[in-house]
């Protein structure tokens, strides 16, 4: 059984399917049709809802895609839909965002409108004392797609909403969860979704069910169900396991627990590691980053995952745990082949540890058809240090160029200890074609990938010298430079 709050009212469910999504529950079990289904993959934002956690005596909300979020993940939390925003005692008293959308004519067919409303409501809720800036509004709706109205009036509605009287107390005043919510689960015949609250429970569950799928944000795993129509009969959720959602920095290393989301990383590393946070801004939408985890991107073992190439240049190590023991594995050794890793049945990635570079030159280049919320065709990350006019500590890693995220070892050796000049980098770029044999697919041809991979390495050298694009520049400046420089490098 699971317990969650829906628009201010606590509910208990025990008979629903363990793999049921929040969206399907809302529309088929509760009859709340305001939340829409568009893409069923977390791209369009029509299904956006608010999910709140009770922290320090108040509800704190984030926008999520309900189409790829398990209902079980709402256990102990407050789920708010577009029906729950307005003052329920007065249906004519709209939420400020809803009223602003009406007043500036920001809705046409209306299908996408509830999702935009929810995204903007969260943005306002997170900045209650100040008007939203245009950058904040655009970030909030970056995962919402509108095909007919145009974004100008929607942005205007977001900017205007702060001037209306707030009624956010309608969902902020919901009763907190009961103290000490125990381990919960949904079961139906041979299907289950277990929600452990500590690591001992997690390890025992995985030992007893070695074929169970581990789910944190589920932004990739749930696509097997919504896009490929596969069954997910055995699930173990880790998002509520104590101790797995922490981030720490010590002695030049960062330790990230397996339940830490990208949104948490953005907040924690924005000052100490802006180059990494810049890449995160191009990884999925705001709703995706509120759910997806760094460790999930590793465990997925995709050759086009965005963060593994970065981590490969940062000497990343994984801590793998089970009922038997814990072991450390270098990330470079973790990937065995396409979608294959060293992870054993009953084992999970407890945390990832990586360098926090300070004096080194570090840069990431993501080449994709869309600038934001898109999958890489090629991703390059470089890290090097120059001492006495020579390259040292050279790390070069690519995504989208092989069956696994992979370091360019030959290119690194061609630069290591050599004069720090353009000729050295051009010679290293030629090594890329010798050690990588990329494939052609819908995103890019093999020839294009090779050419871009070499050009981006050359570009990294030029930028390191001219500092044409600094990691300390405002995001808008970086975006302009990378769109017109990176895509055509």
């Amino acid at each position: 059984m699971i317990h969650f709050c829906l628009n201010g009212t606590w509910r208990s469910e025990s008979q629903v399917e363990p793999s049921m999504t929040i969206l399907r529950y809302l529309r088929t079990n509760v009859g709340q049709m305001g939340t829409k289904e568009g893409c069923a993959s977390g791209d369009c934002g029509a299904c956006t809802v608010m999910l709140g956690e009770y922290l320090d005596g108040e509800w704190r909300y984030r926008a999520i895609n309900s189409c790829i979020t398990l209902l079980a993940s709402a256990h102990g939390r407050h789920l708010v839909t577009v029906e729950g925003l307005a003052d329920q005692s007065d249906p004519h008293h709209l939420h400020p965002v809803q009223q602003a959308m009406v007043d500036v004519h920001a809705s046409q067919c209306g299908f996408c409108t509830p999702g935009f409303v929810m995204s903007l409501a969260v943005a306002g809720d997170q900045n209650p004392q100040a008007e939203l800036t245009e950058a904040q509004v655009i970030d909030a709706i970056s995962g919402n797609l509108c095909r007919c109205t145009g974004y100008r009036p929607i942005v205007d509605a977001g900017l205007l909403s702060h001037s209306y009287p707030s009624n956010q107390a309608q969902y902020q005043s919901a009763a907190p969860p009961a103290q000490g919510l125990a381990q919960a689960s949904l079961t139906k015949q041979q299907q289950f979704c277990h929600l452990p609250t500590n690591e001992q429970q997690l390890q025992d569950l995985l030992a007893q069910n070695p074929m169970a799928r581990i789910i944190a944000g589920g932004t990739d795993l749930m696509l097997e169900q919504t896009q490929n129509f596969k069954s997910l009969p055995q699930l173990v959720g880790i998002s509520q396991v104590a101790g797995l959602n922490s981030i720490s920095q010590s002695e030049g290393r960062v330790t990230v627990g397996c339940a830490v989301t990208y949104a948490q990383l953005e907040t924690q590393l924005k000052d100490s590691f802006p180059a990494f946070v810049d890449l995160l801004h191009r990884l999925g939408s705001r709703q995706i980053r509120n759910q997806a985890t760094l460790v999930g991107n590793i465990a997925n073992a995709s050759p086009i995952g965005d963060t593994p190439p970065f981590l490969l240049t940062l000497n990343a190590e994984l801590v793998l745990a089970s009922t038997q023991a814990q072991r450390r594995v270098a990330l470079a050794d973790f990937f065995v082949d396409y979608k294959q890793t060293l992870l054993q049945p009953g084992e999970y990635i407890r945390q990832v540890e990586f360098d926090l570079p300070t004096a080194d030159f570090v840069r990431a280049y993501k080449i994709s058809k869309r600038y934001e919320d898109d999958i890489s065709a090629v991703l390059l990350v470089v890290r090097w240090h120059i001492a006495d006019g020579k390259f040292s500590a050279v790390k070069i890693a690519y995504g989208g160029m092989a069956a696994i995220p992979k370091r360019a070892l030959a290119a690194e050796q061609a630069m290591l200890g050599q004069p720090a000049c353009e000729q050295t980098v051009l010679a290293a770029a030629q090594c890329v074609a010798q050690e990588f044999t990329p494939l052609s697919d819908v995103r890019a041809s093999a020839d294009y990938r090779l050419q871009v991979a070499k050009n981006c390495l050359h570009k990294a050298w030029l930028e390191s010298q001219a500092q044409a694009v600094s990691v300390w520049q405002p995001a808008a400046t970086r975006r302009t430079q990378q769109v017109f420089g990176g895509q055509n490098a």
Side-chain angles (χ1 to χ4, degrees):
M1 180 178 292
I2 61 171
H3 309 275
F4 62 96
C5 189
L6 175 61
N7 293 332
T9 302
W10 281 91
R11 306 171 65 94
S12 297
E13 291 288 353
S14 61
Q15 302 302 313
V16 298
E17 293 180 17
S19 60
M20 175 171 280
T21 64
I22 289 176
L23 177 66
R24 188 152 62 93
Y25 175 80
L26 291 174
R27 296 184 63 84
T28 63
N29 290 49
V30 186
Q32 292 196 2
M33 302 298 186
T35 307
K36 309 301 183 184
E37 179 177 47
C39 63
S41 62
D43 279 339
C44 73
C47 69
T48 302
V49 295
M50 296 166 60
L51 190 63
E53 294 188 64
Y54 199 75
L55 301 170
D56 300 325
E58 65 177 2
W59 289 104
R60 297 181 184 176
Y61 296 93
R62 54 194 168 99
I64 64 166
N65 296 118
S66 63
C67 68
I68 54 173
T69 303
L70 288 176
L71 177 65
S73 67
H75 176 64
R77 294 168 174 166
H78 188 190
L79 178 62
V80 182
T81 69
V82 70
E83 290 91 345
L85 279 184
D87 185 342
Q88 297 179 32
S89 64
D90 180 5
H92 299 293
H93 182 193
L94 299 178
H95 184 277
V97 173
Q98 292 172 315
Q99 190 63 59
M101 293 283 281
V102 172
D103 291 346
V104 300
H105 310 289
S107 178
Q108 188 165 318
C109 80
F111 187 86
C112 70
T113 303
F116 275 98
V117 166
M118 301 309 292
S119 293
L120 290 172
V122 170
D125 189 66
Q126 292 174 346
N127 298 273
Q129 305 303 321
E131 295 182 15
L132 293 175
T133 66
E134 185 164 311
Q136 289 173 319
V137 171
I138 291 173
D139 177 76
I141 63 175
S142 62
N144 294 82
L145 176 64
C146 175
R147 296 184 182 275
C148 56
T149 304
Y151 289 88
R152 184 69 262 169
I154 298 173
V155 172
D156 288 341
L159 297 173
L160 183 65
S161 61
H162 189 270
S163 62
Y164 292 85
S166 174
N167 71 341
Q168 66 175 356
Q170 288 298 310
Y171 50 87
Q172 285 287 14
S173 60
Q179 292 294 322
L181 283 175
Q183 175 181 347
S185 65
L186 289 173
T187 60
K188 185 177 183 180
Q189 298 175 344
Q190 301 302 311
Q191 302 180 43
F192 63 76
C193 179
H194 296 306
L195 302 172
T197 59
N198 59 60
E199 284 197 76
Q200 187 60 59
Q201 293 174 356
L202 171 60
Q203 292 172 9
D204 291 343
L205 285 168
L206 294 178
Q208 297 162 12
N209 306 280
M211 301 309 294
R213 308 289 292 276
I214 300 174
I215 185 167
T219 55
D220 186 78
L221 177 60
M222 290 302 295
L223 299 185
E224 293 185 18
Q225 177 173 287
T226 64
Q227 301 296 302
N228 299 330
F229 306 106
K230 293 181 179 179
S231 174
L232 298 174
Q234 298 184 347
L235 296 167
V236 175
I238 63 170
S239 61
Q240 301 191 35
V241 176
L244 297 184
N245 61 351
S246 63
I247 307 170
S248 62
Q249 300 181 32
S250 177
E251 298 179 352
R253 295 278 285 180
V254 181
T255 300
V256 179
C258 60
V260 172
T261 65
Y262 292 131
Q264 290 174 277
L265 286 171
E266 286 177 299
T267 300
Q268 293 292 323
L269 301 181
K270 63 180 179 181
D271 295 323
S272 58
F273 201 176
F276 187 58
V277 172
D278 286 347
L279 177 63
L280 296 184
H281 288 165
R282 295 192 58 192
L283 200 159
S285 64
R286 171 54 53 197
Q287 293 94 318
I288 292 296
R289 295 196 296 274
N290 284 341
Q291 291 254 106
T293 64
L294 177 64
V295 168
N297 203 223
I298 297 169
N300 180 41
S302 170
I304 50 175
D306 285 342
T307 60
F310 217 130
L311 296 172
L312 285 172
T313 69
L314 302 176
N315 302 315
E317 289 185 324
L318 307 177
V319 175
L320 311 183
S322 68
T323 54
Q324 304 301 313
Q326 288 191 9
R327 60 183 177 129
R328 285 182 171 271
V329 174
L331 180 63
D333 300 326
F334 181 69
F335 301 113
V336 177
D337 203 344
Y338 178 74
K339 289 284 188 176
Q340 297 180 27
T341 71
L342 293 178
L343 206 61
Q344 299 297 311
E347 200 172 35
Y348 62 99
I349 306 174
R350 186 179 191 277
Q351 64 193 38
V352 56
E353 302 172 6
F354 55 89
D355 290 345
L356 186 63
T358 53
D360 295 348
F361 174 80
V362 180
R363 190 78 89 245
Y365 301 89
K366 177 175 178 175
I367 308 302
S368 55
K369 291 182 181 297
R370 297 191 309 243
Y371 183 81
E372 295 171 322
D373 198 5
D374 200 5
I375 297 172
S376 301
V378 175
L379 192 140
L380 165 66
V381 182
V382 300
R383 176 190 179 188
W384 63 59
H385 187 74
I386 296 176
D388 298 325
K390 294 184 179 181
F391 285 110
S392 64
V394 179
K395 298 286 194 304
I396 302 170
Y398 284 101
M401 294 288 288
I404 60 174
K406 187 178 178 182
R407 279 175 54 187
L409 298 178
E412 291 176 3
Q413 288 301 313
M415 293 175 62
L416 194 61
Q418 298 300 310
C421 63
E422 188 172 15
Q423 288 72 24
T424 297
V425 176
L426 290 174
Q430 295 306 311
C431 295
V432 173
Q434 300 172 17
E435 59 181 322
F436 287 94
T437 309
L439 53 75
S440 295
D441 60 15
V442 295
R443 295 184 184 91
S445 67
D447 289 342
Y448 175 82
R449 282 189 162 101
L450 279 173
Q451 189 62 55
V452 166
K454 293 187 291 184
N455 288 358
C456 283
L457 183 58
H458 185 198
K459 181 178 181 179
W461 164 254
L462 297 176
E463 290 184 353
S464 73
Q465 295 303 290
Q467 291 298 307
V469 180
S470 169
V471 295
W472 304 102
Q473 278 183 290
T477 304
R478 288 193 302 274
R479 172 171 178 164
T480 302
Q481 298 275 7
Q482 287 184 316
V483 167
F484 296 103
Q487 293 280 10
N488 302 301

